[in-house]
Amino acid sequence: FKSIATDPQYDEDTKKCAAFLVSYLNEIGLEAMSWETSKQPVIFAKNTAAGKDCPTLLIYQHYDVQPVDPLDLWESDPFKPTIREGKVYARGAQDNKGQCFYTITALKALLEESKSLNFNLKLFIEGEEESGSTGTLEIIKQKKEELRSDYLLVVDCGIPGPDIPAITLGMRGILTMDLEVRTADSDMHSGSMGGVAYNPIRALSHALAKCWDENGKIAIPHFYDEVQDLSPEEKKAFDFIMDEKMVRKEFGLKALCPDPGYLIGESVSIRPTLEINGINGGYTGEGFKTVLPAVATAKISCRLVPDQDPEKVFANFKKHLENHLPEGAALTIVKEHGSSAFRCNVHSLIAKRAAKAYEEVMGKPCKSILGGGSIPIIGELAQASGADVVAMGYGLDSDHIHAPNEHFGLDRFEQGFLTIGNLLKQFHVG
Amino acid sequence: FKSIATDPQYDEDTKKCAAFLVSYLNEIGLEAMSWETSKQPVIFAKNTAAGKDCPTLLIYQHYDVQPVDPLDLWESDPFKPTIREGKVYARGAQDNKGQCFYTITALKALLEESKSLNFNLKLFIEGEEESGSTGTLEIIKQKKEELRSDYLLVVDCGIPGPDIPAITLGMRGILTMDLEVRTADSDMHSGSMGGVAYNPIRALSHALAKCWDENGKIAIPHFYDEVQDLSPEEKKAFDFIMDEKMVRKEFGLKALCPDPGYLIGESVSIRPTLEINGINGGYTGEGFKTVLPAVATAKISCRLVPDQDPEKVFANFKKHLENHLPEGAALTIVKEHGSSAFRCNVHSLIAKRAAKAYEEVMGKPCKSILGGGSIPIIGELAQASGADVVAMGYGLDSDHIHAPNEHFGLDRFEQGFLTIGNLLKQFHVG
């Protein structure tokens, strides 16, 4: 199914994918339904026969995928899964259809084996993880009662290496923004107006440069107000696996800027960031054009940590930019997406069971890690369901998710099936 | 002739244009030739029958034109001159073929009228004014003797308004640069590396912002070292025609940055500038991509005033950027073009005669102005020929030169013919 939810031309495929899931989940013995939203439907399935006195486990996944371009870099059709050297190549092979597949297979096996479960099971598979989750957010607000659970398991993450089991106990939130600085109605000639017209690229560069202080800290007033530091004890609970040599080598990275006072592994997980994801203005083609542009644009994002509110960060950033633009320069700034970070209870039952499941399947001690990326609605889903969260999965950094030739190893399908199966069994046994 | 010298696909047309000029100039009684260079040929023509004891006048023009895109904005074929409402519409109608045409017509008339001239005449028509003049510069160095003259007349300028005669007694030089800041070998995900990888857009914004101090002065060390201020007396010699209201209205300009301590008319003519003509990095398309880019690029130019050396300014700028980039960030900077400013002798004979020619044709007192733009090789040509320069012409800001629907009024063809004719006559009469 070409369930590229971000591109309207694939809406039909996305709907078909959702319909298939509903019918398949019904077949394996769950009560499955499609929750319509103003955007893509959410698939909800449950088996709550165990009753009120038993614990409830909610599982989160998503059925949408990223666009496939550039198509010519794919070695085989992204929508015809192909096996090469023990790996499945396809868009979604890992993120999140592959991981969804072994999770549902484990559920199917459990339901076949045990006619009645000793816990309540709920499944929430959204279709907008790659495109903002606007519709999904609506439904979360509406279906609070249906979503109420004790434990939330997110199967959309990975492990730090092929032999390193790890539960993900938190991820950063995100705020994305689009902005434009305009100083005139039309472009001008740098000979006739250079020296008088305020160049919007200069104005934008200046305002952006003012977002960091001399020590490399983000200089937006109140940016760190809600940021809580981890206690030494809390820090000990996590593995901040990231060494400088590896990072320098993997991306040919030559310039580093870890948050002053923090390890690089901490900087990408427990610290908030401000990044300029794109900038554009004036003439950028071949050769030279002595244009004095009227407009400069940028795309900016922040990765947020627990207690940072995307709305507040947006307001503070906007004000800061306004304060550092020259008189007359017009700022247009649009908030694209905002979602809060989530952080798990390290001592929760589900965290312990997830770690145990990994350890029993992989035969190694399980680490606890914090992810630097974001899954938009986990914070909201955890809050609405009232559940303790844990995130797991078998993704690897080398799986090319979101990129051409996305793939997922058959061995990890098996490990995933066994791990989720083990975890479900623990809940069944109680 | 589609003499777009900047685009190699028009090389054939450019050569044909040059050949036509040589044959036409020979026909009207000059000894014309084509000087081949590694780029576009220079047309040189002369009549030096007057002999060593008579003064020599060198006239500069160019036969190349700017590209025509976007073609769909032209109301008629840019290479089929069309007359509408008393104006000729075509690429080059003004810059510089139209002005070249009336100049050659005036020469033709003089040569028809007077079999032998009382002054020596030289004509230098380059084919690279719009594309860097690399080949032209070579030939200027080689042909110093042939170019030696007393007076240099540049007919590639304009007047401030339809009824305002003005001689241009100087123009700014220019330095253009292309640069890239690289901090990694490949783009990264802002979730997994945000907070550790130094964003090259941030690095570039910071380094560019450091190019101006708090007062708006250019903060590159030694940038102003060679910049001479005009004495009050010198300032009086020029009209700095530019009023804020007009500028704000014409371009919808909302943010101004005149050089502190100078009028806006002075800022665009006797003061040097630094402009960011283009900037690019990361994702700049529709929607959002949380990319952490590896590279950011910019195009930068300076307008230079007399005594500023493009090479020195380039070296100082490069050093300044290097000093303000983070450790490990790699700067690649390429100098595209560099040419010096030219400034005329206000009291020279040719300046006086050019003013008189304007006054007699237009019936109004002639102003002296300084142009903010650049004609790449005038400084070098003036030096090689040893001549006093003056620039004139009938261009108006509203002629759309370099843009779609370039045009030139038939009335100004006539005025141009009469003015150049008057000036030539003054040299003939002596």
Side-chain angles (χ1 to χ4, degrees), chain A residues 172 174-178 182-199 201-202 204-210 212-217 242 247 249-259 263-265 267-269 271-293 296-297 299-301 303 326-330 336-337 371-374 397 402, chain B residues 172 174-178 182-199 201-202 204-210 212-217 242 247 249-259 263-265 267-269 271-293 296-297 299-301 303 326-330 336-337 371-374 397 402:
Chain A
R172 292 190 287 191
I174 193 166
L175 165 68
T176 63
M177 299 166 280
D178 231 321
R182 178 177 284 277
T183 54
D185 288 344
S186 66
D187 287 0
M188 291 151 280
H189 190 284
S190 73
S192 54
M193 291 300 291
V196 161
Y198 206 114
N199 190 315
I201 307 179
R202 172 182 161 197
L204 178 58
S205 296
H206 175 79
L208 291 178
K210 287 284 180 191
W212 287 269
D213 69 15
E214 283 173 13
N215 304 314
K217 286 276 178 193
M242 190 175 235
V247 164
K249 200 180 153 191
E250 187 162 347
F251 300 104
L253 190 61
K254 287 160 199 87
L256 270 65
C257 58
D259 202 329
L263 301 173
I264 63 169
S267 298
V268 294
S269 56
R271 301 299 297 167
T273 68
L274 176 72
E275 293 292 345
I276 309 162
N277 304 87
I279 194 164
N280 193 251
Y283 180 73
T284 58
E286 275 297 296
F288 211 96
K289 199 172 165 185
T290 48
V291 64
L292 208 166
T297 62
K299 290 178 193 287
I300 312 274
S301 67
R303 296 284 172 174
E327 203 190 314
E336 294 265 306
H337 297 309
S374 315
D397 278 348
H402 297 198
Chain B
R172 292 190 286 192
I174 194 166
L175 165 68
T176 63
M177 299 166 280
D178 231 320
R182 178 177 283 278
T183 54
D185 288 344
S186 66
D187 288 359
M188 289 152 280
H189 189 283
S190 73
S192 54
M193 293 299 293
V196 161
Y198 206 115
N199 190 315
I201 307 178
R202 173 182 159 195
L204 178 59
S205 296
H206 176 80
L208 291 177
K210 287 283 179 190
W212 287 270
D213 69 14
E214 282 172 14
N215 304 315
K217 285 276 180 195
M242 189 175 236
V247 164
K249 200 179 154 192
E250 187 161 346
F251 300 103
L253 190 62
K254 285 159 200 92
L256 270 65
C257 58
D259 202 328
L263 301 173
I264 64 170
S267 298
V268 294
S269 57
R271 300 299 297 167
T273 68
L274 175 72
E275 292 293 346
I276 308 163
N277 303 87
I279 194 164
N280 193 251
Y283 181 73
T284 58
E286 275 296 297
F288 211 95
K289 199 172 164 184
T290 49
V291 65
L292 207 165
T297 63
K299 291 178 193 288
I300 312 273
S301 67
R303 298 283 171 175
E327 204 191 314
E336 295 264 307
H337 298 310
S374 315
D397 278 347
H402 297 199

Side-chain angles (χ1 to χ4, degrees), chain B residues 87-300:
Chain B
K87 290 171 195 136
V88 178
Y89 285 81
R91 169 57 79 231
Q94 192 249 78
D95 181 21
N96 187 237
K97 289 178 173 176
Q99 306 229 58
C100 211
F101 173 77
Y102 71 65
T103 304
I104 292 174
T105 311
L107 278 174
K108 182 171 175 262
L110 177 73
L111 290 164
E112 278 169 7
E113 204 180 301
S114 330
K115 287 245 159 101
S116 68
L117 299 180
N118 296 330
F119 66 104
N120 298 301
L121 184 69
K122 293 179 179 174
L123 203 53
F124 182 96
I125 313 182
E126 73 159 318
E128 296 180 292
E129 197 270 343
E130 310 289 6
S131 59
S133 301
T134 336
T136 309
L137 263 178
E138 294 163 16
I139 218 75
I140 289 176
K141 281 181 195 158
Q142 286 166 34
K143 304 280 188 180
K144 259 186 157 172
E145 267 320 301
E146 278 279 43
L147 294 170
R148 195 155 296 284
S149 311
D150 302 292
Y151 308 108
L152 170 58
L153 170 66
V154 176
V155 192
D156 187 23
C157 284
I159 46 177
D163 294 318
I164 312 169
I167 49 172
T168 300
L169 293 181
M171 290 179 85
R172 292 190 286 192
I174 194 166
L175 165 68
T176 63
M177 299 166 280
D178 231 320
L179 67 91
E180 176 192 290
V181 172
R182 178 177 283 278
T183 54
D185 288 344
S186 66
D187 288 359
M188 289 152 280
H189 189 283
S190 73
S192 54
M193 293 299 293
V196 161
Y198 206 115
N199 190 315
I201 307 178
R202 173 182 159 195
L204 178 59
S205 296
H206 176 80
L208 291 177
K210 287 283 179 190
C211 291
W212 287 270
D213 69 14
E214 282 172 14
N215 304 315
K217 285 276 180 195
I218 294 164
I220 299 163
H222 308 296
F223 185 80
Y224 294 105
D225 280 7
E226 276 81 30
V227 178
Q228 305 289 333
D229 215 357
L230 294 186
S231 68
E233 192 196 10
E234 283 174 305
K235 278 197 185 183
K236 261 188 212 156
F238 298 106
D239 256 279
F240 296 105
I241 308 170
M242 189 175 236
D243 84 274
E244 194 177 315
K245 264 188 200 165
M246 181 274 288
V247 164
R248 284 185 179 274
K249 200 179 154 192
E250 187 161 346
F251 300 103
L253 190 62
K254 285 159 200 92
L256 270 65
C257 58
D259 202 328
Y262 294 87
L263 301 173
I264 64 170
E266 292 170 351
S267 298
V268 294
S269 57
I270 59 169
R271 300 299 297 167
T273 68
L274 175 72
E275 292 293 346
I276 308 163
N277 303 87
I279 194 164
N280 193 251
Y283 181 73
T284 58
E286 275 296 297
F288 211 95
K289 199 172 164 184
T290 49
V291 65
L292 207 165
V295 174
T297 63
K299 291 178 193 288
I300 312 273

